[in-house]
Amino acid sequence: MTQKLFRDPVYDYITIDTKKYPWLLDLLNTAEVQRLRFISQLGLSQFTYPGSNHSRFSHSLGVLHLMKEYVSYLKLEHSEKFAQLDEEALLAASLLHDIGHSPFSHATERFFGNHEERAAKIILNRSSNIHKILRRVSDKLPKKVADLISEIPLLGTKLWQKSLISSQLDMDRLDYLRRDSLCSGAEYGNFDCFRIIHTMGLTEGNIGGGKKDTWITWPKKSMYVLEEYIFSRFYMYQSVYFHHTTRGFECLVTKILERAKELASKNKRFRSQLIEPLNTFLSTSNNSNWIEFSKLTDNILFAQISVWKSSKDKVLSDLSGRLLNRKGLARYEVPKNLSDFEVADKIAKVRDYLKKKGLAQEYYFFEDETGTSVYKPYRSAIDTQEQSSVTSIMLYDKTSTGTGFYEISDHPDLKRLKAITQEPLITKRYYFPKEHENKIRELLK
Amino acid sequence: MKDYWLAKLISSVDVVNSRKKLQKIIYLLYKSGCPLQCEYILHYYGPYSFELAGLVDKLKSSKLIEENPEQQRTNVISYRSKMSEQGKKKLREFEESTKGKSLLNNISPFISQFQELNKEKMRVLELAATIAFFHDGNWQEAKRQTAAFKKVKIGDSKLEEAFTLAKKFKKSA
């Protein structure tokens, strides 16, 4: 057996069987996947956690590794569940799920658009290298892979398979929590991943009167490792992903891009001096040019921001300097019991104050709202789709008197999970220049 | 001030029976020109807005609204939303300010429509919102697309009811 070996800090070694999956290695070598080496996995988290310099490339390899491990384990008992091309589609989707990410990953998504939809478009585009390689395996493979990645599940996609790519417990999350934890040094993200993968089963059943379906399930004995996984997510979101410093600098990058876009729309000279391919994205509102997009990386954006630091436009040069010199931003966190309309007057006063100080308030006073659910219990009245492995983590206890299925947060032995799953984590913050902190805090009192 | 508008609408009725219902009502109001505008996508149950879902989460987290689960049938729980006493007080206080008065004026014309839609059956709202979503100048085509999407027959009584409702709300824009 010929194997391609990769050293990896999380799994020690990742292997690709080059005889069985020669096309997988070809996919890995495409420009679209190689580009992920230059996209940081955690955006500007390195401004807070200096070790968080790992890339989307190592994460994508990690997701592929977990998928490969799970598929081989699953095929030992459930090979009948795999139709033709299912295995290939799952492996390809796990490697390709992040190819649509823009520089600094989620940090610039508001500016450049949703990464999942872009990934699906690149895979379906007949002229992309990825599409050509997948088609060499089968004409049907590009669509099958795109359906697994696309945010909205399409009819005909097996939901248990889709849940392995994107759900409340998928290979993506299993990899990024441990990898981000290891690289950032925030150890809360670690959990027993091996046990989660090697006790994950498939069970037929109908829940809530729905049609019979195949569910990803875990035996009761795995409930504590699942609980550990959910708590890991909670800690990582609170400490790393939603860290106030990181979020502040990520908002600052968006402000820099918005200012540059404004200048590009008015100033031909400014436009002509932009580094390729930024001229495409700042001059038009068309973000779908994937050929230009494939040239867009963290390095390009950092290089451009370094140039902008000396821009004649004072706002752009100041904002760029603040980012590159990591010049602190002050923040105000809106108390959880207050609604937007209750603080609207105070916010308006701050904007007036900055205006009087001669600062463009739209670039120097910005809001950031973070929101996620570490685990969202399924509620038929709220959710947008029927209950499936995509929406629920299910325990299956064959000795139980009922159907045997338990959604994890409903299990009587895991009541403490409700403390972190009942409410989504929502935080609203405003950021402003530190030199105006005292006055602005006074206005916000 | 979307959170204020949403809170004001919810406060105008005793209770909204489910979040799904709220989604469809707000979508139809949006189609009739209501200032509470969110981005929508077409999902299994018709138009759905993640932004609106986030607004409801925020109102709940700041304790302006209360959500109470109610068992409908086995395994089906509905979450009934209503304004809390604290929420009503906050709205009253805000409406005394200049900003509050102006925002109240914007939403006032839509309060009776909200109350009317809140009395409708869930299934009819779901179909009406879907028809309004598909409508692009041709009502019959929108009805046909909805029938195909929701797997109902043309001529189905609820579809016809929904059709009338969708036309009424989109026309009033």
Side-chain angles (χ1 to χ4, degrees):
Chain A
M1 188 165 72
T2 318
Q3 282 191 328
K4 177 79 183 165
L5 299 179
F6 301 88
R7 274 199 185 277
D8 183 81
V10 183
Y11 312 108
D12 200 10
Y13 277 103
I14 290 175
T15 60
I16 293 180
D17 180 338
T18 52
K19 267 201 175 153
K20 194 172 174 193
Y21 309 115
W23 56 273
L24 207 47
L25 205 57
D26 293 340
L27 274 186
L28 190 79
N29 287 325
T30 57
E32 292 92 334
V33 177
Q34 289 296 316
R35 171 184 170 270
L36 297 179
R37 290 181 187 274
F38 309 107
I39 304 289
S40 56
Q41 163 77 1
L42 282 183
L44 292 176
S45 192
Q46 51 180 299
F47 278 45
T48 312
Y49 295 95
S52 318
N53 283 315
H54 53 307
S55 70
R56 287 270 152 194
F57 182 82
S58 59
H59 161 63
S60 300
L61 264 181
V63 180
L64 170 66
H65 169 76
L66 290 180
M67 185 65 82
K68 201 161 56 73
E69 191 158 321
Y70 180 59
V71 166
S72 11
Y73 159 75
L74 201 60
K75 284 186 99 175
L76 295 175
E77 273 192 50
H78 295 286
S79 57
E80 79 287 353
K81 292 282 181 195
F82 287 84
Q84 210 183 0
L85 292 176
D86 279 358
E87 180 177 349
E88 287 82 355
L90 284 168
L91 294 178
S94 57
L95 178 65
L96 301 174
H97 74 285
D98 270 350
I99 55 168
H101 262 298
S102 43
F104 309 135
S105 294
H106 295 287
T108 60
E109 205 161 12
R110 259 188 295 182
F111 192 84
F112 291 108
N114 179 288
H115 76 278
E116 280 150 341
E117 292 316 307
R118 184 181 289 111
K121 276 181 190 159
I122 295 172
I123 291 163
L124 292 173
N125 191 306
R126 297 176 82 89
S127 56
S128 76
N129 295 321
I130 285 175
H131 183 93
K132 287 174 191 164
I133 292 166
L134 293 174
R135 275 194 64 157
R136 264 191 354 233
V137 182
S138 161
D139 277 0
K140 291 177 184 156
L141 194 52
K143 183 166 183 314
K144 217 168 151 62
V145 176
D147 284 353
L148 283 172
I149 291 175
S150 184
E151 207 172 4
I152 300 169
L154 300 172
L155 291 172
T157 311
K158 289 175 188 157
L159 289 177
W160 71 267
Q161 291 189 4
K162 183 158 181 74
S163 78
L164 297 173
I165 298 291
S166 178
S167 68
Q168 302 222 59
L169 195 166
D170 54 32
M171 300 301 150
D172 184 23
R173 291 181 181 194
L174 289 181
D175 182 80
Y176 77 61
L177 283 172
R178 295 209 307 148
R179 185 173 300 277
D180 297 347
S181 165
L182 178 73
C183 295
S184 66
E187 291 179 10
Y188 341 96
N190 209 357
F191 54 88
D192 188 351
C193 181
F194 187 88
R195 191 174 181 87
I196 288 184
I197 297 239
H198 286 265
T199 56
M200 214 167 166
L202 286 181
T203 311
E204 290 283 326
N206 63 335
I207 299 170
K211 62 179 188 308
K212 201 170 181 189
D213 204 354
T214 304
W215 295 75
I216 301 255
T217 55
W218 283 265
K220 194 178 165 208
K221 65 182 178 184
S222 290
M223 69 180 174
Y224 296 116
V225 72
L226 295 170
E227 182 187 38
E228 186 189 25
Y229 155 82
I230 293 171
F231 270 99
S232 300
R233 259 177 76 71
F234 175 73
Y235 295 136
M236 284 299 280
Y237 270 92
Q238 297 289 44
S239 314
V240 179
Y241 304 133
F242 289 167
H243 191 282
H244 58 85
T245 306
T246 308
R247 296 291 299 196
F249 284 110
E250 290 184 347
C251 289
L252 185 57
V253 171
T254 306
K255 289 289 153 191
I256 292 170
L257 287 167
E258 283 172 9
R259 179 64 174 180
K261 188 159 187 165
E262 188 188 339
L263 295 170
S265 70
K266 294 175 189 163
N267 188 331
K268 204 173 168 184
R269 188 146 183 266
F270 179 84
R271 219 161 44 229
S272 68
Q273 288 171 345
L274 290 168
I275 298 177
E276 224 185 311
L278 273 166
N279 46 4
T280 306
F281 293 97
L282 294 176
S283 306
T284 63
S285 53
N286 178 8
N287 283 342
S288 61
N289 185 335
W290 71 269
I291 295 178
E292 289 302 300
F293 181 81
S294 66
K295 299 174 193 162
L296 199 54
T297 60
D298 289 10
N299 308 5
I300 295 282
L301 196 49
F302 262 135
Q304 182 66 80
I305 292 172
S306 303
V307 174
W308 284 337
K309 195 180 165 192
S310 316
S311 167
K312 282 179 186 161
D313 179 74
K314 279 187 181 166
V315 173
L316 187 60
S317 69
D318 181 58
L319 295 178
S320 302
R322 280 175 194 269
L323 180 77
L324 296 174
N325 299 328
R326 197 191 180 279
K327 205 170 164 189
L329 296 163
R331 74 181 193 284
Y332 163 69
E333 199 160 308
V334 180
K336 290 212 180 335
N337 62 339
L338 291 183
S339 299
D340 287 355
F341 67 83
E342 290 175 273
V343 291
D345 269 358
K346 291 174 185 172
I347 299 300
K349 279 180 193 160
V350 175
R351 294 197 188 283
D352 280 349
Y353 163 77
L354 289 171
K355 223 168 159 182
K356 279 180 196 154
K357 288 282 166 191
L359 291 173
Q361 54 84 18
E362 66 271 36
Y363 293 113
Y364 286 94
F365 187 64
F366 38 88
E367 68 173 57
D368 177 46
E369 191 165 60
T370 54
T372 196
S373 299
V374 286
Y375 176 73
K376 196 172 162 207
Y378 182 79
R379 295 173 178 182
S380 61
I382 293 176
D383 272 82
T384 55
Q385 49 190 289
E386 285 177 359
Q387 191 170 21
S388 69
S389 291
V390 173
T391 56
S392 302
I393 298 178
M394 297 302 265
L395 292 170
Y396 181 66
D397 180 3
K398 56 185 172 194
T399 63
S400 150
T401 48
T403 60
F405 287 94
Y406 285 98
E407 176 164 12
I408 185 137
S409 61
D410 285 340
H411 198 282
D413 293 344
L414 292 179
K415 278 186 181 157
R416 61 191 159 268
L417 265 181
K418 293 205 185 321
I420 58 166
T421 59
Q422 289 288 71
E423 302 274 336
L425 308 171
I426 303 174
T427 308
K428 187 160 190 167
R429 302 178 180 119
Y430 285 92
Y431 290 92
F432 39 88
K434 211 160 193 167
E435 59 272 26
H436 294 278
E437 184 174 6
N438 291 343
K439 179 66 190 170
I440 291 179
R441 286 208 177 281
E442 210 175 284
L443 292 169
L444 290 169
K445 254 182 199 164
Chain B
M1 279 314 119
K2 293 177 183 178
D3 62 340
Y4 164 71
W5 284 325
L6 182 61
K8 184 67 191 171
L9 291 171
I10 295 174
S11 77
S12 73
V13 294
D14 287 340
V15 70
V16 182
N17 271 334
S18 72
R19 282 206 188 191
K20 252 184 228 163
K21 188 168 188 177
L22 187 65
Q23 284 271 348
K24 307 310 164 214
I25 296 175
I26 300 292
Y27 182 75
L28 286 167
L29 284 188
Y30 152 64
K31 285 290 167 186
S32 75
C34 177
L36 175 51
Q37 301 195 356
C38 298
E39 273 185 38
Y40 288 84
I41 55 163
L42 187 62
H43 234 287
Y44 288 97
Y45 303 112
Y48 182 87
S49 166
F50 287 101
E51 189 187 355
L52 181 59
L55 281 174
V56 179
D57 280 338
K58 274 179 66 187
L59 292 184
K60 194 180 160 198
S61 135
S62 56
K63 309 222 177 326
L64 262 78
I65 61 164
E66 291 162 355
E67 265 189 334
N68 297 308
E70 188 179 90
Q71 188 94 29
Q72 299 286 308
R73 51 183 197 276
T74 317
N75 285 320
V76 179
I77 294 170
S78 176
Y79 286 80
R80 295 155 60 91
S81 313
K82 66 177 206 175
M83 204 68 191
S84 66
E85 285 309 313
Q86 186 189 347
K88 285 178 192 165
K89 187 170 168 258
K90 283 183 173 186
L91 284 186
R92 276 197 303 273
E93 283 168 5
F94 179 64
E95 284 163 6
E96 281 165 20
S97 69
T98 318
K99 179 96 180 161
K101 280 177 187 149
S102 142
L103 292 175
L104 174 62
N105 281 339
N106 298 146
I107 201 72
S108 288
F110 298 94
I111 289 177
S112 58
Q113 292 185 13
F114 182 86
Q115 291 165 334
E116 187 189 330
L117 286 170
N118 192 42
K119 289 177 193 155
E120 288 289 344
K121 291 181 209 81
M122 180 58 219
R123 180 67 174 162
V124 174
L125 287 171
E126 197 178 310
L127 291 167
T130 311
I131 293 171
F133 186 90
F134 281 125
H135 178 248
D136 190 18
N138 183 337
W139 283 109
Q140 291 304 328
E141 177 58 19
K143 183 158 78 170
R144 197 196 56 75
Q145 282 179 289
T146 302
F149 180 74
K150 302 295 291 182
K151 296 189 175 58
V152 287
K153 286 183 182 153
I154 298 278
D156 176 279
S157 64
K158 288 211 168 61
L159 183 66
E160 293 308 318
E161 246 182 274
F163 186 59
T164 313
L165 191 68
K167 273 168 75 173
K168 179 178 166 188
F169 274 84
K170 214 166 168 184
K171 212 167 89 180
S172 64

